[in-house]
Amino acid sequence: MGSAPLLSIVMPVFNDEATVASSLQSALRQTVHDIEIICVDDASTDGTAAVIERLAARDPRVRLIRQETNRSAFQSRRTGILAARAAYVLFLDGDDELVADAAKKALAKADASGADLVGFGVTVVERDGRTGGAYESRLQPPHRSLDGTAVLSGLFPIGKAAQGQLWRYLFRTRLLRDAYALLPDDLMLARVNDLPLMFLTAALATTYVSIDDKLYRYHFGRGGSGHVVDTVERAEFYASAIRSIDSIGPAVHELAGTGADGLLLLDTYASARLSMIGHVCFQLIERSDSAVLDAALAHLHTLAPAHDIVIAAARFYPATLKTLKFHATWHGIGDRPVRSILLTTSTLRTGGVSAVLASQARYLLDAGFRVTIVARKSGSDRDVVPAGAAFVELAGRDLVERLDEWAEICRAHEVDVVIDHQILYTPHWPEYALMARAEGASTIGWVHNFVGRPIYDGNDRLSLIERCSNTLAELVVLSPLDVAYFKLRGVTHTVYVPNPPSPLLLESLSHPVARTPPAGRIELVWWGRLDQHTKQVRELIEVGVQLRRLSVDFRLKVIGPDWDHMTAKKFNREAHRRRVGDHVVAVGPLRGARLIDAIDAADAFVSTSIIEGFQLTIAEAQARGLPVFMYELPWLTLAQHNEGIVAVPQADARGLARQIADLLDHPERYTALSRASVEAAERTSSFDFAELYRGVVTGTLPPGFSPEPTLADARELLGLMVFFAERSRGRGRANGSDASVGARLWKSATPVGKAALRRLPGLRPVANRAKKWLHGS
């Protein structure tokens, strides 16, 4: 056979009849003549072999090796490498080309450096002939030279998307044979058959050098790249790339056991494997027809654990999480025993959601569960953590790091169920739910406000909850009307559960306060945060103005911390401007005994909130015998069948003032209201909350907590959505952005109408009126 050639060019080919002649001609035009071109035909069914035979007849440097059955390009390359006679190998696919001086420049660099691997530049030719895109930039050599273990870590950097294209390098032939020797002789890889070999070769190599010259022309879109996933079979083909990277796992572990840097090798492989899983997920999401995507993602989950899919997507292709979370299948809590509960919020503080969470933790501890509380941001008040509960604060700098922490917490604390108290306030709760599920934990979403809150705020939180509801084992809301909304929207795994009583409420019921009707001046009180957006604290000033106009002798003490753009100083300045500053006074926050003394010094509680989920201050006021005067919140369970409450329509400050003034003329009415308030507070706290929460976390709540929607529910929901849209539109006009707000509200408010009409056609006249009004916005 004569002396060995300087270079072997190995060409795996399969059904490349249309392009193989051009590819082979590019090899034959090399300025280095002393080469061999080994074409391995993988049982082509077209005229590929005939084309090669014609060229081989004219040039003896071309050799054709036929495989009787299709064994994948991975096996074709093995055949070519074993047949190669040169000390170095270049790879050329049957639909690409080498530039004329590729062999000369690559061999010169190898001879000068003695390197095992020589990297070089690549030109990516798009379908329309364009070159120089982003993909081409990513394929250029990343390093000038690497030695030892730096070859592997440099070519496959941990945390970066793995690149394993064999045609980017000149190889020492012996290195490729050693890599193949680590793998089964009969291994066949249908998809991504180059990266596994490239990874092992990089692990075995001791030296790498590179040149900037672009020696290879890669045609994107030919062969198996860039195709639309329009069938389940094609989805399975794309996903088989995961089997390819998994196939070298045993070889990697074998190498790790024999080298000093085994841990680095294992970590690098784990990163490359996750990169491949993320890449497959990205390809399926980006290229799948909508009719195929669900089946494609379901198949993906048969090839990789859900944990790996979520981490891979988050780490390497975070944009895919936006789609992945919308294509989850619903899993309930299941029948397995529930022992460990994780409660989560943004930051743990006093009051609000944190107070509910802390109280919930105590009841769950009393019910015999292990409880872990996780704050996703820093700044928590650790004194709020109940005795017996573990507390963890996430420290990750970004979503990926926090998801990693989340998974570790779920494992370390053996979490069975997560209760997420932030799903109405944060956009990333579905990612956490997916990660918890990957670790074997179900997630329960807890909604802390009425369903109309996102429409009032003008955001898309409702759509997010609905579209990602399958990531939740259960959705917990605070009223039957909220249940009706979500069930009309198809979220059937929705229940309503009252919030637990606060320590103030429980203490008040254990020490009842005897109330006498006011004589002369009536003392009024309000407490909460000075939030204008939802609690409408400026309306308290308006109520004071109306009481003064009615010549009522009164004082209204406003208690609570500054909030957003409202402060006690600003509030008092406005009260003085409205000439009621001596009667309506914000005193800042009061706590403990000072708050109780202020409540007990009052005759009635006033509330002007426009939207609430479970207004605990109402129950706290009633527990101390105070009648409640408020704007209507018809969904509020606290206010339903509550004879201790006097409610008037929203924004009717004059009507509220008249009702308060009436107390001075009818002391017997005051006594009846006070007595009814205490009775209502007792009902609010009469639940066996430990047993109630046991039912929540085990999925065994009685059916009464998940009622079916009625025509009356749908009619009320439509009216409320229009009301909150109108209020939000008013804010938009004040800010000079009415047109955009109106468009957003139309998009936000109409889904419930459409769903209601599908189930309850009799609502069409009401819906038409709502539609006409919303279009007018």
Side-chain angles (χ1 to χ4, degrees):
M1 295 182 63
S3 62
L6 296 176
L7 176 70
S8 297
I9 299 177
V10 174
M11 290 184 60
V13 294
F14 174 71
N15 286 352
D16 292 316
E17 180 181 7
T19 58
V20 70
S22 176
S23 297
L24 194 46
Q25 289 284 7
S26 77
L28 291 170
R29 283 195 298 266
Q30 291 301 301
T31 56
V32 174
H33 185 270
D34 191 7
I35 63 174
E36 66 174 353
I37 304 164
I38 304 169
C39 301
V40 184
D41 180 43
D42 196 22
S44 293
T45 57
D46 64 359
T48 298
V51 173
I52 297 171
E53 285 175 336
R54 286 195 297 270
L55 289 169
R58 297 201 298 263
D59 195 322
R61 294 179 299 171
V62 178
R63 281 197 284 159
L64 174 63
I65 301 175
R66 290 174 180 259
Q67 296 186 154
E68 295 302 321
T69 59
N70 186 271
R71 303 179 65 206
S72 79
F74 182 79
Q75 282 294 340
S76 298
R77 291 193 182 99
R78 180 201 286 268
T79 299
I81 290 164
L82 294 178
R85 294 186 297 127
Y88 289 97
V89 168
L90 277 177
F91 288 105
L92 174 61
D93 284 354
D95 51 1
D96 297 330
E97 297 107 18
L98 291 166
V99 301
D101 56 357
K104 177 183 177 181
K105 290 185 175 179
L107 285 170
K109 190 67 174 179
D111 289 340
S113 64
D116 293 327
L117 286 170
V118 177
F120 46 79
V122 175
T123 299
V124 175
V125 184
E126 302 288 347
R127 291 185 180 90
D128 59 4
R130 289 182 298 110
T131 62
Y135 184 43
E136 180 174 308
S137 297
R138 294 197 297 271
L139 290 179
Q140 305 317 305
H143 305 284
R144 285 295 180 193
S145 64
L146 300 165
D147 294 302
T149 57
V151 177
L152 177 66
S153 58
L155 299 183
F156 289 90
I158 293 175
K160 300 293 185 181
Q163 297 275 8
Q165 300 87 354
L166 293 167
W167 31 258
R168 297 168 60 199
Y169 306 92
L170 173 79
F171 296 86
R172 192 181 296 278
T173 307
R174 172 183 49 78
L175 200 65
L176 292 167
R177 289 172 178 165
D178 289 345
Y180 265 115
L182 293 167
L183 300 171
D185 291 343
D186 59 352
L187 178 63
M188 292 187 290
L189 304 177
R191 175 75 175 156
V192 185
N193 46 66
D194 49 0
L195 188 146
L197 180 62
M198 186 64 227
F199 185 91
L200 292 177
T201 304
L204 293 169
T206 58
T207 52
Y208 161 90
V209 294
S210 72
I211 56 178
D212 292 333
D213 304 68
K214 295 181 179 180
L215 306 183
Y216 194 92
R217 290 177 62 82
Y218 169 69
H219 289 269
F220 183 81
R222 291 181 182 175
S225 61
H227 290 178
V228 172
V229 180
D230 53 2
T231 65
V232 174
E233 290 74 20
R234 185 168 287 278
E236 291 173 351
F237 170 70
Y238 270 91
S240 66
I242 296 173
R243 290 197 178 100
S244 296
I245 191 67
D246 284 348
S247 70
I248 65 171
V252 170
H253 283 80
E254 180 183 339
L255 284 177
T258 60
D261 295 292
L263 185 58
L264 173 63
L265 176 58
L266 292 174
D267 288 346
T268 305
Y269 172 68
S271 176
R273 179 178 174 276
L274 284 177
S275 169
M276 183 54 60
I277 293 171
H279 182 61
V280 168
C281 185
F282 169 77
Q283 286 186 314
L284 293 178
I285 286 173
E286 287 294 305
R287 297 178 181 173
S288 293
D289 287 348
S290 57
V292 175
L293 183 54
D294 281 331
L297 292 176
H299 178 68
L300 173 63
H301 281 79
T302 68
L303 300 178
H307 166 270
D308 290 358
I309 293 171
V310 175
I311 283 293
R315 185 171 296 166
F316 296 101
Y317 299 90
T320 61
L321 289 175
K322 297 177 181 178
T323 300
L324 202 59
K325 65 189 179 187
F326 295 136
H327 291 269
T329 54
W330 179 73
H331 293 226
I333 292 172
D335 299 326
R336 67 187 179 88
V338 176
R339 300 183 179 91
S340 178
I341 313 295
L342 186 155
L343 308 177
T344 185
T345 187
S346 177
T347 53
L348 196 63
R349 298 174 181 173
T350 57
V353 172
S354 293
V356 174
L357 184 150
S359 182
Q360 194 175 84
R362 284 189 287 269
Y363 282 113
L364 288 168
L365 288 165
D366 291 344
F369 296 102
R370 297 196 306 273
V371 174
T372 303
I373 298 173
V374 176
R376 293 200 183 114
K377 294 182 180 178
S378 60
S380 290
D381 182 354
R382 293 172 185 257
D383 292 337
V384 178
V385 179
F391 177 74
V392 182
E393 196 170 79
L394 296 188
R397 293 168 297 177
D398 55 28
L399 178 61
V400 173
E401 290 185 2
R402 289 195 289 271
L403 286 174
D404 274 335
E405 286 184 82
W406 190 255
E408 176 56 34
I409 292 166
C410 288
R411 287 193 297 272
H413 294 264
E414 300 177 319
V415 174
D416 300 304
V417 173
V418 174
I419 300 179
D420 193 331
H421 287 270
Q422 283 290 302
I423 71 167
L424 198 61
Y425 310 116
T426 178
H428 294 303
W429 62 265
E431 287 87 339
Y432 287 96
L434 284 175
M435 182 58 74
R437 180 189 291 186
E439 295 298 332
S442 303
T443 297
I444 295 170
W446 208 283
V447 176
H448 281 272
N449 212 310
F450 178 55
V451 73
R453 175 68 185 269
I455 292 176
Y456 179 54
D457 292 345
N459 64 44
D460 62 354
R461 292 292 188 263
L462 275 183
S463 296
L464 183 66
I465 293 172
E466 292 168 22
R467 294 184 65 194
C468 297
S469 62
N470 279 348
T471 65
L472 300 173
E474 200 164 58
L475 178 64
V476 178
V477 294
L478 297 175
S479 80
L481 202 57
D482 291 285
V483 174
Y485 174 88
F486 283 111
K487 285 198 169 186
L488 283 168
R489 296 294 294 149
V491 187
T492 57
H493 48 290
T494 306
V495 300
Y496 83 92
V497 177
N499 273 343
S502 66
L504 173 59
L505 174 56
L506 294 174
E507 192 278 336
S508 297
L509 289 174
S510 64
H511 299 87
V513 177
R515 292 285 174 185
T516 56
R521 185 168 70 181
I522 184 169
E523 299 286 346
L524 306 172
V525 69
W526 177 96
W527 69 95
R529 60 180 187 269
L530 298 184
D531 178 10
Q532 174 59 26
H533 180 54
T534 61
K535 298 186 182 300
Q536 300 188 128
V537 290
R538 286 193 177 92
E539 285 291 305
L540 295 170
I541 298 174
E542 184 61 32
V543 171
V545 170
Q546 296 301 326
L547 284 168
R548 184 174 60 80
R549 288 176 180 172
L550 293 172
S551 301
V552 175
D553 187 9
F554 76 98
R555 183 170 61 184
L556 171 55
K557 183 177 289 188
V558 177
I559 303 168
D562 298 344
W563 199 262
D564 292 336
H565 303 296
M566 178 57 72
T567 65
K569 184 176 181 180
K570 184 183 294 186
F571 180 93
N572 290 333
R573 188 164 57 242
E574 187 164 337
H576 277 286
R577 184 178 63 81
R578 299 292 305 280
R579 299 182 180 180
V580 291
D582 293 336
H583 302 277
V584 182
V585 181
V587 298
L590 300 177
R591 294 184 177 87
R594 293 182 65 198
L595 175 60
I596 292 174
D597 288 345
I599 295 171
D600 289 345
D603 299 307
F605 176 75
V606 182
S607 173
T608 52
S609 290
I610 190 171
I611 193 165
E612 296 275 3
F614 194 87
Q615 192 175 352
L616 193 56
T617 53
I618 291 177
E620 291 172 340
Q622 291 194 301
R624 302 199 77 81
L626 293 183
V628 173
F629 294 84
M630 62 181 288
Y631 287 165
E632 288 176 346
L633 302 174
W635 64 87
L636 202 66
T637 55
L638 283 170
Q640 293 166 1
H641 312 295
N642 189 330
E643 299 299 325
I645 290 177
V646 178
V648 301
Q650 282 285 329
D652 185 7
R654 183 171 180 81
L656 202 60
R658 285 174 174 168
Q659 292 290 345
I660 294 169
D662 184 66
L663 287 185
L664 295 173
D665 297 327
H666 300 90
E668 70 285 354
R669 184 183 181 217
Y670 180 90
T671 301
L673 286 170
S674 177
R675 186 183 306 114
S677 278
V678 175
E679 292 172 354
E682 289 173 343
R683 287 196 303 273
T684 298
S685 59
S686 65
F687 292 96
D688 183 344
F689 281 93
E691 189 60 29
L692 193 63
Y693 291 149
R694 180 187 297 277
V696 171
V697 299
T698 59
T700 57
L701 277 177
F705 289 96
S706 185
E708 292 304 311
T710 65
L711 182 65
D713 291 333
R715 182 179 290 111
E716 180 135 41
L717 282 167
L718 277 171
L720 286 167
M721 296 308 165
V722 169
F723 168 75
F724 286 119
E726 181 179 26
R727 288 305 180 97
S728 185
R729 183 182 69 161
R731 294 201 317 278
R733 281 179 173 164
N735 296 328
S737 57
D738 181 56
S740 60
V741 171
R744 186 169 66 247
L745 294 175
W746 170 243
K747 182 178 179 181
S748 299
T750 54
V752 68
K754 293 179 180 178
L757 288 175
R758 283 195 297 270
R759 297 184 62 166
L760 303 165
L763 278 178
R764 190 164 297 279
V766 179
N768 286 336
R769 289 197 297 273
K771 180 178 180 180
K772 180 179 179 181
W773 182 90
L774 284 168
H775 269 310
S777 70

